[in-house]
Amino acid sequence: MFSPFYRLLLGGASALLSLSARGQIVNPGPVSPTDSARGKQSSKSTTDDKKVFANPSVLGMGPSKGIVVRYERAPQFDVTSQSDPGLIGNGAGRIRRLNVNEFKAYFPLWNRPHLKFVAGFNYARQQFNFRAPDELSYPFYQLLEDRNLRTIGTQLLMLRPIDGRKYFLVRVKGELNGDYRNDPEDGVTRHLALRRYLRTSAEFFYGWKRSPRQSVAVGAQFGYTFGRRSIYPAVIYNRTFSDHWGLESILPARARVRYNLNEKTLFYGGYEVQGDSYTINVNVPPAVGQYRDLELRVTALNTRLRMEREILPIMWFAVEAGYRYYASFSAYDSSTDRVKVIDNTLKNSAVISAEIFLTPPRRFLKQ
């Protein structure tokens, strides 16, 4: 059916992904009749089997992701801005589209029954494109138009199972957020120190694998989920209620209901709070006030419907459609005072996205 070259390529990718799977927190995969039987076993089988250790995943969850490529677009929404007249003044405009390109990759560093380390890399770029960009008069819109707001980050996740019932989960992450590769129109390249773009976040959880179908963990998250850097309590609650229905959540940041149509097709519906903080170099024409750089804080609530479908043994395709509500899109002085310079209000907008991700073959997920 396939050419020898294709079989060789597919086999090589499968081998690499299978190695990655053995170092990740592997999800058991969509519920099948075999999974359903396993889910009805007593918890004693878990504790008696010394080779099985607790983790946050439950039966029915989608497969682990090794490499992810994603594109998102939000079309046609308005923006209004308010600022002190002595600084910038007020403005209004219409954003023709918001484009987001994203890439993620995960790979194991250490894989032992009682200790696992997984490293990750992520890159994202988003651009705001205004309607009639040549006619923009408001300085902040001129600054934001077609500017590459980039994110480059790495993360390290540690899973420390205590036994078949309890576990610790720790994740630390560092990102460079902003337009640090921007080249101004006057031909003079100006750079800020990378530390001005650095954002760090962390989370810690202590969890209980109550059964193969239910996992609960309590802890705290420290980061920019709600726009500004803060620490807040969090709860992981993953549960599969039946062969078709389940819930996956890290409250209060996100939650989604899962419907398993079969092993190759999954549907989701839920919400996610997204928070970002970008450093924008403004020491380029046109200047915004007297500031060399600004911190753009973004907080948005996304409601989404999602479908995932296996298209090859190691490849899945996903599409999403949803609605985004911007709770905050404000620019602050990047000095220690963190004074709000511009209060922007973005209208709600529709959001669509498409995603391709590679995953270990199902036979490895069932091992």
Side-chain angles (χ1 to χ4, degrees):
M1 180 177 179
F2 299 116
S3 67
F5 173 76
Y6 178 84
R7 288 197 298 267
L8 178 62
L9 179 63
L10 189 62
S14 299
L16 289 175
L17 287 170
S18 66
L19 289 174
S20 177
R22 290 165 185 167
Q24 295 187 36
I25 303 175
V26 179
N27 296 334
V31 171
S32 66
T34 302
D35 291 334
S36 180
R38 290 172 55 197
K40 294 176 182 178
Q41 294 175 355
S42 68
S43 61
K44 185 176 184 295
S45 62
T46 302
T47 55
D48 288 345
D49 186 354
K50 301 303 182 181
K51 295 182 181 181
V52 176
F53 295 92
N55 62 59
S57 300
V58 296
L59 293 175
M61 294 178 69
S64 299
K65 298 178 181 180
I67 298 176
V68 182
V69 178
R70 182 172 179 270
Y71 173 74
E72 176 183 292
R73 171 174 285 198
Q76 301 291 343
F77 53 100
D78 296 325
V79 55
T80 58
S81 304
Q82 294 182 331
S83 180
D84 190 313
L87 295 175
I88 303 169
N90 300 334
R94 184 166 181 81
I95 297 173
R96 183 164 53 95
R97 64 171 178 254
L98 166 62
N99 291 319
V100 180
N101 299 284
E102 192 171 13
F103 172 83
K104 296 179 181 179
Y106 305 94
F107 52 93
L109 292 180
W110 185 263
N111 181 26
R112 294 293 184 271
H114 287 286
L115 184 64
K116 300 178 185 293
F117 285 97
V118 178
F121 169 82
N122 63 288
Y123 171 83
R125 184 188 68 179
Q126 61 175 305
Q127 291 179 325
F128 290 88
N129 298 126
F130 285 79
R131 187 175 61 182
D134 295 336
E135 301 175 7
L136 291 174
S137 59
Y138 193 62
F140 184 73
Y141 303 161
Q142 295 175 336
L143 187 70
L144 196 60
E145 161 63 24
D146 204 31
R147 178 157 297 209
N148 291 324
L149 298 180
R150 291 182 172 89
T151 297
I152 295 180
T154 60
Q155 62 176 293
L156 180 64
L157 182 146
M158 183 195 76
L159 175 66
R160 174 65 171 91
I162 301 173
D163 51 32
R165 300 276 295 182
K166 299 181 288 295
Y167 61 87
F168 288 104
L169 180 67
V170 179
R171 188 197 309 265
V172 292
K173 190 172 187 178
E175 293 181 329
L176 298 176
N177 286 7
D179 63 336
Y180 41 83
R181 293 183 58 188
N182 183 68
D183 295 323
E185 297 177 357
D186 61 3
V188 178
T189 301
R190 304 175 179 89
H191 295 289
L192 300 174
L194 286 182
R195 59 180 175 80
R196 302 294 293 272
Y197 300 97
L198 180 63
R199 306 289 188 268
T200 57
S201 59
E203 55 188 45
F204 170 84
F205 290 96
Y206 176 75
W208 300 266
K209 191 69 169 282
R210 304 185 66 179
S211 75
R213 289 174 174 262
Q214 185 176 4
S215 182
V216 181
V218 295
Q221 293 182 309
F222 172 78
Y224 295 83
T225 300
F226 297 96
R228 58 178 297 177
R229 186 169 61 178
S230 58
I231 185 170
Y232 51 91
V235 176
I236 295 176
Y237 185 70
N238 296 328
R239 184 171 182 180
T240 295
F241 300 100
S242 68
D243 286 0
H244 292 289
W245 292 98
L247 175 67
E248 303 171 12
S249 62
I250 304 180
L251 303 171
R254 61 182 179 269
R256 62 182 187 178
V257 176
R258 181 188 72 249
Y259 178 77
N260 299 73
L261 181 64
N262 52 48
E263 286 193 338
K264 296 184 177 182
T265 307
L266 291 83
F267 293 91
Y268 300 90
Y271 79 90
E272 180 179 8
V273 180
Q274 287 184 319
D276 296 298
S277 173
Y278 297 97
T279 296
I280 301 180
N281 189 339
V282 299
N283 193 19
V284 296
V288 178
Q290 303 299 317
Y291 302 99
R292 185 183 180 190
D293 57 277
L294 294 174
E295 179 187 356
L296 178 63
R297 297 179 182 175
V298 184
T299 302
L301 174 65
N302 298 293
T303 59
R304 293 173 175 167
L305 295 175
R306 176 183 175 93
M307 184 196 74
E308 295 181 356
R309 171 71 180 177
E310 181 187 285
I311 55 178
L312 289 174
I314 63 171
M315 181 179 293
W316 287 59
F317 174 73
V319 291
E320 286 185 353
Y323 203 65
R324 175 174 294 155
Y325 167 74
Y326 282 97
S328 174
F329 195 87
S330 301
Y332 290 77
D333 177 8
S334 292
S335 68
T336 56
D337 294 335
R338 291 295 194 272
V339 176
K340 183 184 292 188
V341 178
I342 309 171
D343 187 7
N344 301 297
T345 301
L346 273 63
K347 293 294 185 180
N348 305 339
S349 65
V351 180
I352 57 175
S353 67
E355 180 180 309
I356 292 285
F357 59 92
L358 301 182
T359 180
R362 189 178 291 108
R363 65 179 182 270
F364 290 107
L365 299 178
K366 291 182 178 180
Q367 291 177 356

